[in-house]
Structure formats: C-alpha cells, structure tokens
Amino acid sequence: MSSLDELHLTEEPSFEELQNQIRTLTNLRNTHQATLLSLRSTKSLKDHISTVSASSSQTKTPISSSLQISDKNLNDILLTRSAELSKDHQEWTQEALSRMTGLSKFTVTDPSSSRDLTGIRIEVMADGKFGTPYYLFLKPYDETPKPTPEDPSPEEVPSTTHLILHRHTIPAYFIQPLNVLAEKHLPPPPQMQNLDRFVRDVRHFLVLHYLRRSRLTHIKDEVTQNLPDLNSDSDDAHTPNIYVSEFLMDPEARLVEIHWLDINDIHSSIKRQAWIALTEKGGIEGLIVKEDNQRILHMEMQIKGDDWVRGTTDSMDWTSGLFKRLRWPSHPL
C-alpha cells in the first residue's frame, strides 16, 4: 500500500467523530425547525401539531422538550410556514412600495360584473405616521349604443380609453370636491381624460385634511391632558383660573370651537367661546372670540400669535404653541 493511500486512510473520520457530527447537525436542524415554528403563534402551532401527531403512527422525532411531531408532518408544516412567510414578505414589500410612492395603481375584478376595475391607492402621512389609505375604483366608460328597432338589446361595449369613478373610500364630506374633480378631469368621450391629474388633485386635498386633523388633534390632546381635577382639594399653581375646557373640531378639520371655564365658578353664566375657521391649507380664514356675546379682540390677537402680520396664519404654522396662547389673561392686554 502506498504512502498516499495510508495518508488518505488516516485522514478519514472515525466512527465516533461521524456520530458527533451527525448529532451536531441534528441539533442544528432541530434548532432551526423550532425557530421557524415559533415565528407564528406558538399556541396555534402546538394545537395543530398535537392534532396531527395524534393521528399519525409514524416514528416521532424530538424537536424540543414540549414539541413532538413526525418527520413527514414536520416537513409539510415547514413548507407551509415558509410559503406563508414568503407571502407575508411580498405583502409587506408591496405595502412599503405603496407608502413610499404615495400613489399606486392596481387591477381588481368587479364581483358583480366579473370585469376588471382600475384601482388607485392613496397614502397620507403626518408627523411621520401613515394614516388609513384611501381607495378609488374606476370602471370603463359605457359606450354601448342606444337600442334601436333593429337591435333592441345591443351588446355592452366598455370603453378602452375612458374611465368613470365607480367606487371609493373617500369620506362623505368630500363627495362634492371629489365629484367636481371627476367631472373636470374624467369627462366622457370624445373629450380627453387626465387620470394622473385627477388622482393627484384628490390626494392633495386628502393630505391637507390629514395634516389639519393631525395638528388640531395634537392641540386637543394637550387640552385634555391639562384639564384640572375638579374633585381634588389640592391647589395646582400651574392651572389658570380660567382654563380651556373644550376644544372641538368638525370632521373636515376646517372649523374649531373652543370653550373656557372659570375653575372658581364652574356654573357661572359667563360664556367664553371662540370659533376659528380654517382654509384648506390650515391657515386662519376667520377668528372670533367672545365673552358674554362681547367680542374680545385682544384674545383674537393673542391666538393668532405675534407673527401673524408676516403671513404665519396663512398656513398651519400658526398652530405651533397654540395651547399656551389659549390661556385667558386675568386682565385685558
């Protein structure tokens, strides 16, 4: 026997080494299996596994101290879970792409007619948080010819170039501007349509609405967090005698109503109220502050802020620090 053969024989692993390698690989496989299985609800997995294991008479392979399952069923579950994880990843990727672009287009089937609809997904975001997406569904314009004596029931002819708004998830208080934009940018044939402009204009007023609502909701939360505890006997030096008791806004976030109360006289007949009308961009369109039906001009100026003459109130910038400016002064300025 040559020295090369001897060297080759001496480098082959021993039986004990092979057993150790097999045990190591088996433990590694079991660890990965347990990790995959734990990616979903552990309880539902154990329930499913115990049901499958009870009906199987095959040899059991231990996965963990509390989990027993057959090799065949284990492979089936791992394949199923892998497919689910892959599908979840694809859905997550699609969700991320939709949010990155702000607008996305897709095709769905109308269950009532089995025809394809054009779907538009619109994303809105404020303060780094995404809101609930809105959806528009458009169907082909109906170009079916009118019935005639020769053809009383003409075959339906969907347009290949023109669309019409079919369904949507836009709030009801935006129906009027939505219909106006649809009439403007999606006219019937033979006029040209501009779907891109229609979708972008719709997204524009939805984003502005979300920004207004987000800013006003933040102020409303400040008001709620700073309401005095009227049942407490302790005096809070930080609570003004006259405090903001209510901060209300309409669904469009275009009208704000504010109420003040005197902490020392909750049931007082004196009414202190303010109304703020907002523009689409969130600026102040109108502002009235009254105390017993008398207009309080110094409070109106205080709410607007010091920079209102520089155009700050033309956008949402005026809302910065608004809660502090809502403090009712003890004496007129």
Side-chain angles (χ1 to χ4, degrees):
M1 183 179 294
S2 65
S3 60
L4 182 60
D5 292 334
E6 292 177 357
L7 179 62
H8 179 70
L9 289 174
T10 56
E11 289 184 349
E12 289 183 354
S14 64
F15 180 74
E16 290 78 9
E17 291 175 335
L18 287 174
Q19 283 186 322
N20 290 334
Q21 291 180 11
I22 291 174
R23 280 194 292 268
T24 300
L25 291 174
T26 301
N27 292 333
L28 184 62
R29 185 197 67 173
N30 292 340
T31 300
H32 289 319
Q33 289 172 346
T35 301
L36 283 174
L37 291 173
S38 65
L39 291 176
R40 292 288 176 173
S41 171
T42 304
K43 183 179 183 303
S44 61
L45 271 176
K46 287 184 178 181
D47 293 342
H48 176 71
I49 290 170
S50 60
T51 302
V52 174
S53 299
S55 61
S56 175
S57 59
Q58 299 183 24
T59 304
K60 306 298 181 180
T61 301
I63 296 178
S64 68
S65 58
S66 61
L67 200 59
Q68 298 288 332
I69 190 170
S70 66
D71 285 337
K72 182 179 182 302
N73 291 326
L74 174 62
N75 291 333
D76 292 342
I77 291 177
L78 288 177
L79 289 174
T80 301
R81 294 307 177 195
S82 298
E84 290 178 354
L85 291 174
S86 177
K87 182 180 179 181
D88 289 346
H89 179 71
Q90 292 176 359
E91 292 177 352
W92 182 90
T93 302
Q94 184 63 42
E95 182 88 3
L97 288 174
S98 298
R99 288 185 166 179
M100 286 175 61
T101 58
L103 291 170
S104 55
K105 182 180 178 182
F106 56 93
T107 301
V108 294
T109 302
D110 185 357
S112 61
S113 62
S114 300
R115 289 183 176 175
D116 288 342
L117 299 177
T118 299
I120 304 293
R121 172 171 169 151
I122 302 175
E123 298 287 346
V124 291
M125 183 184 72
D127 298 329
K129 296 180 180 180
F130 285 96
T132 302
Y134 298 98
Y135 292 92
L136 302 173
F137 299 97
L138 303 103
K139 66 178 181 179
Y141 190 85
D142 187 6
E143 294 186 335
T144 304
K146 295 181 179 180
T148 62
E150 295 77 14
D151 188 5
S153 300
E155 184 179 355
E156 293 185 4
V157 180
S159 174
T160 58
T161 58
H162 285 65
L163 297 171
I164 185 172
L165 187 61
H166 180 54
R167 294 282 189 272
H168 60 81
T169 62
I170 308 299
Y173 41 83
F174 285 134
I175 293 298
Q176 182 178 358
L178 179 66
N179 290 336
V180 169
L181 291 176
E183 292 177 3
K184 179 180 179 181
H185 299 301
L186 302 177
Q191 302 179 66
M192 297 291 293
Q193 291 190 338
N194 192 337
L195 178 61
D196 180 73
R197 183 62 183 273
F198 168 71
V199 172
R200 292 185 183 279
D201 285 356
V202 171
R203 182 176 185 269
H204 179 71
F205 72 69
L206 290 175
V207 169
L208 289 178
H209 167 254
Y210 192 72
L211 290 173
R212 293 194 307 270
R213 189 179 64 181
S214 177
R215 290 287 189 92
L216 296 178
T217 299
H218 178 71
I219 300 169
K220 183 176 181 178
D221 291 341
E222 283 190 280
V223 171
T224 303
Q225 294 168 6
N226 287 273
L227 287 175
D229 186 1
L230 302 179
N231 297 322
S232 176
D233 296 332
S234 60
D235 294 332
D236 189 349
H238 299 288
T239 302
N241 291 334
I242 301 176
Y243 66 95
V244 180
S245 60
E246 288 184 288
F247 188 93
L248 310 173
M249 60 180 174
D250 71 328
E252 291 186 59
R254 294 286 297 270
L255 181 63
V256 176
E257 184 175 346
I258 307 170
H259 296 256
W260 288 266
L261 285 178
D262 190 336
I263 196 171
N264 297 317
D265 191 5
I266 299 298
H267 303 290
S268 172
S269 59
I270 299 177
K271 291 185 178 181
R272 300 177 180 89
Q273 295 174 291
W275 297 267
I276 306 175
L278 305 183
T279 64
E280 186 180 38
K281 293 183 178 180
I284 296 180
E285 186 173 12
L287 169 61
I288 296 177
V289 181
K290 286 188 175 183
E291 182 179 30
D292 274 352
N293 292 324
Q294 296 294 322
R295 194 164 179 179
I296 311 300
L297 297 179
H298 69 270
M299 272 301 294
E300 294 178 7
M301 301 292 291
Q302 177 176 306
I303 290 175
K304 288 182 178 180
D306 297 334
D307 295 333
W308 71 272
V309 293
R310 299 186 179 92
T312 305
T313 56
D314 295 338
S315 64
M316 289 295 292
D317 293 341
W318 70 276
T319 60
S320 179
L322 175 60
F323 176 71
K324 293 181 179 179
R325 301 200 304 273
L326 292 178
R327 182 161 184 162
W328 197 282
S330 302
H331 303 284
L333 299 177

